[in-house]
């Protein structure tokens, strides 16, 4: 009799575990075809936050004049916007969405100008030591790349969910 009770208890425990496992599976939202993984989305956002935060903290702590700090801040914002704009224009063109040639050209021009402004500004900055120039360069490039990746992830996620 006690063996029967133990067998019944074991079956109940197994059933409870199976129900809990099924609930866990039900809670997990299934990734759509073409949608980036959560890990990739998280890594992209983390890279963007690290890049922008590092750049801004470095700028805040830099021993340069306020107008120089404003210049480097404006270059960062301009670079981020132009990189996202170019990524969108390139992708729209690739997918057959109409993009005017003037917008496409301006997007390329804006990104090139933002990178050139950063490079020329750092090259001519006498108050910044070489290691700080490298730091600002790398934080700028990381921020631009991460902004492009985040925008791509958002668009891929939206497109995958629209498809169903």
């Amino acid at each position: 009799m006690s063996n029967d009770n133990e067998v019944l208890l074991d079956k109940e425990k197994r059933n409870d575990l199976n129900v809990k496992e099924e609930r866990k599976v039900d809670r997990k939202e299934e990734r759509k075809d073409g949608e980036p993984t959560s890990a990739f989305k998280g890594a992209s956002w983390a890279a963007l936050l690290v890049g922008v935060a590092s750049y801004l903290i470095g700028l805040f702590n830099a021993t340069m004049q306020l107008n120089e700090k404003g210049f480097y801040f404006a270059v960062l914002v301009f670079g981020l916007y132009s990189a996202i704009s170019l990524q969108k224009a390139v992708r729209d063109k690739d997918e057959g969405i109409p993009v005017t040639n003037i917008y496409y050209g301006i997007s390329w021009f804006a990104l090139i100008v933002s990178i050139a402004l950063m490079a020329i500004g750092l090259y001519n900055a006498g108050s910044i030591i070489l290691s700080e120039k490298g730091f600002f360069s790398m934080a700028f490039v990381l921020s631009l790349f991460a902004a492009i990746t985040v925008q791509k992830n958002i668009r891929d996620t939206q497109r995958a969910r629209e498809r169903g």
Side-chain angles (χ1 to χ4, degrees), residues 1-58:
M1 188 85 160
S2 66
N3 282 343
D4 288 339
N5 287 340
E6 288 175 14
V7 169
L8 284 174
L9 285 175
D10 285 342
K11 282 183 181 179
E12 285 178 16
K13 285 181 185 177
R14 276 186 268 149
N15 285 339
D16 286 344
L17 288 175
N18 289 338
V19 168
K20 286 178 185 176
E21 286 178 20
E22 286 176 18
R23 285 183 190 152
K24 286 181 187 176
V25 171
D26 289 343
R27 282 188 212 153
K28 182 182 175 187
E29 190 175 319
E30 193 171 312
R31 191 168 59 93
K32 308 285 188 228
D33 188 37
E35 181 181 4
T37 64
S38 296
F40 186 67
K41 289 187 224 178
S44 299
W45 276 104
L48 180 61
L49 293 175
V50 166
V52 171
S54 297
Y55 187 95
L56 294 177
I57 290 168

Side-chain angles (χ1 to χ4, degrees), residues 30-142:
E30 193 171 312
R31 191 168 59 93
K32 308 285 188 228
D33 188 37
E35 181 181 4
T37 64
S38 296
F40 186 67
K41 289 187 224 178
S44 299
W45 276 104
L48 180 61
L49 293 175
V50 166
V52 171
S54 297
Y55 187 95
L56 294 177
I57 290 168
L59 200 56
F60 179 77
N61 291 320
T63 57
M64 59 178 83
Q65 293 181 6
L66 194 54
N67 62 339
E68 286 180 280
K69 290 181 180 186
F71 169 79
Y72 288 111
F73 177 74
V75 168
L76 175 67
V77 172
F78 181 44
L80 291 173
Y81 180 79
S82 64
I84 291 169
S85 182
L86 177 62
Q87 192 273 345
K88 182 184 179 338
V90 167
R91 185 153 175 188
D92 283 352
K93 253 186 143 174
D94 185 56
E95 294 176 351
I97 299 170
V99 176
T100 62
N101 287 333
I102 190 74
Y103 184 80
Y104 186 70
I106 288 172
S107 297
W108 269 109
F109 179 74
L111 182 63
I112 291 166
V113 167
S114 70
I115 293 169
L117 284 172
M118 178 58 86
I120 293 166
L122 290 175
Y123 179 77
N124 291 318
S127 64
I128 303 175
I129 61 174
L130 194 56
S131 61
E132 287 178 321
K133 290 179 182 185
F135 167 79
F136 282 115
S137 299
M138 294 310 295
F140 183 71
V141 170
L142 174 63

